[in-house]
Amino acid sequence: MKDEFLQDVLAGLRLPQKALSPKYFYDAKGSKYFDQICELEEYYPYRTELSLLPEVARELKQYFKEKSVSSIQLVEFGAGSLHKVKPVLKELTMVTEFTAIDISGEHLQEASTELAASFPKLPIKVAQGDFTKPIKLEVSEATPMGFFPGSTIGNFDPEDAREFLENARTTLGEGSYMLLGVDTKKDQQMLEDAYDDSRNITARFNKNILTRINRELNADFELDQFEHVASYNQQLGRIEMHLRSLTAQQVQVSGETFQFEKGETIHTENSYKYHPEEFDQLATAAGWRRECLWLAPDGIFAVMLLAN
Ligand SMILES: C[S@@+](CC[C@H](N)C(=O)[O-])C[C@H]1O[C@@H](n2cnc3c(N)ncnc32)[C@H](O)[C@@H]1O
């Protein structure tokens, strides 16, 4: 894992547009920063999706009753602090098994202990792993349903999002479902504020990737020589986060030297925004069909049920 981290970082920093994968934000500290982001006034996706989920789960319960689905194997991808699954589990009583997958193992373990206290009868499995790699589920009689909230799907480029959805369809299998949260296109200022808050928590989250590289890969990034930048790329329909070098400087990572011009950036994250109909095309290309759509007021966030 550490070797893969090193190879990915070196390869990313050798690119003409230096880049790092957002999956490396999430060490234990990065996961804690993400929880703080979720508490921010500006970060509407978290609270908007969370407020939709009780109604979504109530309607899903009815939907599955009508389909005579009596037990569900729920699998959450990028489960984080497991906040979003709680309202789902509360209403959707036909969930008989729950598996949570996340790259941030220590954080997930803590979150699952808390979840188990709230749902003592539910079998809960935690799996530290990368959801872009093949995942093998335990064989079960229950109907499989993926859960992918947080608009994490937006962190993939559209082609990679299609590939993820296709792989998830294979993993979950015939007759499965996928419930996912998608952030929508909206006012540019609202989008940019969500990724560049006034308390600079997102800036700390972004820079934490450099702290992690320093600690784990023997590097010497000076954090105060980089600044957090978040802007909406209208043409590509995505928020881009970068770390911009404030000076011309050299950085060593595991013995390799990287030059930075003043103003040069490392691209650390994309967050694609989709009109629901745009997302439908992606889901259809991955072999899913959209069964239900729940839109937040003013259409600022969408939750969708896809069926295989
Ligand atoms: C945007 S956060 C969303 C967290 C939570 N699902 C929510 O909705 O609040 C993304 C989550 O996905 C996890 N993650 C990111 N990339 C991952 C990967 N490649 N494999 C597994 N987990 C990943 C992160 O650790 C983090 O918990």
Side-chain angles (χ1 to χ4, degrees), residues 222 225-226 244-251 258-262:
E222 286 188 37
Q225 295 304 313
F226 288 87
R244 183 192 284 143
S245 176
L246 294 171
T247 54
Q249 56 180 317
Q250 283 190 347
V251 176
F258 295 95
Q259 304 282 347
F260 286 84
E261 302 294 329
K262 183 177 177 191

Side-chain angles (χ1 to χ4, degrees), residues 21-27 30-31 34-35 38 43 45-46 49-50 53 76-85 101-105 107-108 127-133 135 147-153 155-156 164 205 269 301:
S21 166
K23 70 182 177 188
Y24 294 120
F25 282 136
Y26 297 96
D27 59 358
S31 296
F34 184 73
D35 279 350
C38 292
Y43 197 69
Y46 175 80
E49 184 179 36
L50 199 59
L53 287 172
E76 183 170 356
F77 300 92
S81 292
L82 295 169
H83 292 160
K84 306 257 175 78
V85 80
I101 302 165
D102 203 287
I103 205 160
S104 190
H107 188 82
L108 181 64
Q128 178 181 15
D130 184 337
F131 55 49
T132 60
K133 308 256 165 81
I135 293 166
F147 183 40
F148 199 28
S151 64
T152 309
I153 190 87
N155 297 144
F156 291 117
F164 170 84
F205 171 75
E269 189 182 71
F301 199 89

Side-chain angles (χ1 to χ4, degrees), residues 49 148-149 153 165 178-182 279 302-306:
E49 184 179 36
F148 199 28
I153 190 87
L165 288 173
M178 173 71 108
L179 182 67
L180 84 176
V182 177
F279 196 84
V303 174
M304 298 178 189
L305 180 71
L306 308 181

